[in-house]
């Protein structure tokens, strides 16, 4: 499932190739089986060592892994049903924003999430997960529908940022993201947001206002992408690793700074190595949070949501 390894996974890839080579041997002996067991133990140990000490730039690489589970993967693996809803009733249907009714155990919900696509053709159609204004308008229409029918809203965030093209700006990209955030802050139904990969810039914030905000262990959530930050501060994308370290956007930082409520542990070696296990953990987390939120009165829910975001960004520094 993991596919081509990342640069810092070269030793892991070598071990996996050795295991695969031995397993292809049709004349298996006790010595070969013993060697396979030893190599598997060495692979597990190396995965634990590597993923326990990822630096911020390596975390970005894992978050962008092409085999990482996307919104549609979670819909297929964690949810019982899904009926996709299209269009924003104004301009068109943005494939970078996936919306629809879904069922999770006993809960009927509205799911909204960024979608990147697997093949190049799909990625191009989805604008590599960068939504246009019509994508956020579509999300808002579906959120108001969820509020009308008293359905909880689940948002999966996975985008490097909102689409930066001229057409998107002409159709009010910044305004529509602001409107989406404002509407979500007063949405009279429970909202759960989970950063499943990249959480970049306003494109992520546009569907990121919720009663519970979680992030996967090897995802990131930031006001700007590392390349964008490096381009502004150092005038070169070559400094992206330095920007990643300065932005403090990994799950450990986010939890410590109070930006997110929960960090979802990923399978050993990242979510891209085991979609089913990650989907199972996601389902457990969402079910638990929906159970906790369903009995909270609407007025109290909105007040708690307001106070939650008002607390973010207040710090005391020693002189």
């Amino acid at each position: 499932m993991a596919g081509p390894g990342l640069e810092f996974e070269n030793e892991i890839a070598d071990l996996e190739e050795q295991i695969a080579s031995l397993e292809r041997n049709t004349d298996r002996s006790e010595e070969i089986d013993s060697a396979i067991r030893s190599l598997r133990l060495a692979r597990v140990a190396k995965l634990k060592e590597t993923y326990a000490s990822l630096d911020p730039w390596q975390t970005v690489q894992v978050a962008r892994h092409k085999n990482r589970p996307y919104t549609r993967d979670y819909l297929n693996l964690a949810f019982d049903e899904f009926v996709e809803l299209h269009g924003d009733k104004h301009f068109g249907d943005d494939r970078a924003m996936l919306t629809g009714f879904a069922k999770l155990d006993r809960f009927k919900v509205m799911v909204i999430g960024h979608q990147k696509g697997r093949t190049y053709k799909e990625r191009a159609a989805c604008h590599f997960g960068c939504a246009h204004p019509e994508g956020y308008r579509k999300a808002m229409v579906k959120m108001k529908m969820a509020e009308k029918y008293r359905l909880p809203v689940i948002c999966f965030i996975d985008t490097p940022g909102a689409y930066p093209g001229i057409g998107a700006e002409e159709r009010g990209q910044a305004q529509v993201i602001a409107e989406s955030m404002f509407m979500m802050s007063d949405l009279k139904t429970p909202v759960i947001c989970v950063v499943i990969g990249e959480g970049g810039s306003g494109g992520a914030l546009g569907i990121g206002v919720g009663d519970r905000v979680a992030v996967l262990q090897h995802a990131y959530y930031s006001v700007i992408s590392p390349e964008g930050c490096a381009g502004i501060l150092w005038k070169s994308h070559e400094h992206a690793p330095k920007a990643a370290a300065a932005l403090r956007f990994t799950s450990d930082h986010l939890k410590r700074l109070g930006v997110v409520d929960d960090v979802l542990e990923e399978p050993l070696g990242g979510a891209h190595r085991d979609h089913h296990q990650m989907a199972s953990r996601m389902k457990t987390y969402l079910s638990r949070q929906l159970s906790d939120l369903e009995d909270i009165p609407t007025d109290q829910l909105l007040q708690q949501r307001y106070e939650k975001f008002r607390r973010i960004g207040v710090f005391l520094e020693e002189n």
Side-chain angles (χ1 to χ4, degrees):
M1 179 64 72
L6 302 168
E7 185 178 350
F8 61 85
E9 290 185 320
N10 287 339
E11 292 183 43
I12 298 169
D14 290 342
L15 289 170
E16 291 175 339
E17 178 56 35
Q18 292 178 49
I19 293 170
S21 178
L22 290 174
E23 288 179 337
R24 286 194 295 266
N25 194 326
T26 56
D27 186 20
R28 295 276 285 271
S29 65
E30 189 175 334
E31 291 182 356
I32 291 177
D33 289 342
S34 178
I36 290 174
R37 286 194 295 270
S38 297
L39 287 169
R40 284 176 176 170
L41 289 173
R43 172 184 173 275
V44 169
K46 194 63 185 176
L47 279 170
K48 288 181 179 179
E49 178 188 344
T50 302
Y51 277 81
S53 57
L54 293 180
D55 63 36
W57 180 240
Q58 289 171 335
T59 298
V60 172
Q61 292 176 280
V62 175
R64 292 174 176 172
H65 198 288
K66 71 185 188 72
N67 286 338
R68 194 170 179 84
Y70 298 144
T71 297
R72 197 174 288 279
D73 296 309
Y74 288 110
L75 287 168
N76 291 333
L77 296 173
F79 291 77
D80 303 314
E81 299 174 21
F82 177 66
V83 179
E84 187 172 357
L85 300 173
H86 298 273
D88 70 338
K89 300 185 178 181
H90 287 280
F91 184 84
D93 184 41
D94 188 349
R95 292 182 61 184
M97 190 69 76
L98 187 63
T99 64
F101 296 116
K103 192 169 184 294
L104 183 75
D105 288 336
R106 64 183 178 87
F107 298 101
K108 295 177 181 178
V109 300
M110 178 70 74
V111 173
I112 295 165
H114 297 103
Q115 178 65 19
K116 290 182 174 179
R118 288 285 171 208
T119 65
Y120 180 78
K121 184 177 180 180
E122 290 175 349
R123 286 174 174 262
C126 295
H127 314 294
F128 298 84
C130 299
H132 284 69
E134 50 269 25
Y136 292 98
R137 291 194 178 99
K138 175 167 75 168
M140 285 192 287
V141 169
K142 306 316 182 255
M143 288 180 196
K144 294 302 289 184
M145 185 185 298
E147 181 183 60
K148 177 180 178 181
Y149 294 110
R150 299 181 181 180
L151 299 177
V153 175
I154 296 175
C155 297
F156 291 120
I157 299 168
D158 188 13
T159 178
Y163 195 79
I166 293 175
E169 297 298 336
E170 288 175 341
R171 297 195 295 277
Q173 185 72 285
Q175 178 69 22
V176 76
I177 289 175
E179 289 174 359
S180 181
M181 294 172 66
F182 180 76
M183 191 198 75
M184 291 184 77
S185 68
D186 194 44
L187 200 66
K188 296 174 180 62
T189 191
V191 182
I192 302 173
C193 306
V194 185
V195 183
I196 59 175
E198 294 188 86
S201 193
L205 293 174
I207 58 170
V209 180
D211 303 294
R212 300 288 186 274
V213 180
V215 62
L216 267 60
Q217 182 182 5
H218 303 308
Y220 78 89
Y221 196 23
S222 172
V223 70
I224 192 171
S225 69
E227 291 87 350
C229 178
I232 293 172
L233 296 183
W234 293 285
K235 311 302 180 186
S236 172
H237 290 176
E238 294 179 0
H239 295 281
K242 188 192 302 184
L247 284 166
R248 299 180 184 276
F249 54 31
T250 63
S251 58
D252 289 342
H253 291 128
L254 295 168
K255 178 67 173 176
R256 191 163 59 247
L257 295 172
V259 177
V260 300
D261 302 298
D262 302 291
V263 176
L264 276 62
E265 185 179 357
E266 297 189 22
L268 181 62
H272 57 280
R273 292 182 182 275
D274 195 335
H275 287 197
H276 286 83
Q277 187 177 356
M278 190 65 248
S280 177
R281 295 180 182 182
M282 179 70 73
K283 184 174 184 176
T284 300
Y285 174 77
L286 293 175
S287 296
R288 186 173 66 248
Q289 296 304 322
L290 288 170
S291 296
D292 291 344
L293 292 170
E294 68 175 340
D295 295 327
I296 301 177
T298 301
D299 291 345
Q300 184 179 340
L301 190 73
L302 295 178
Q303 184 62 29
Q304 289 177 358
R305 191 184 304 165
Y306 171 79
E307 292 173 355
K308 166 184 165 57
F309 283 91
R310 288 291 293 175
R311 285 194 297 268
I312 296 176
V314 179
F315 302 96
L316 294 177
E317 297 183 359
E318 296 181 1
N319 294 328

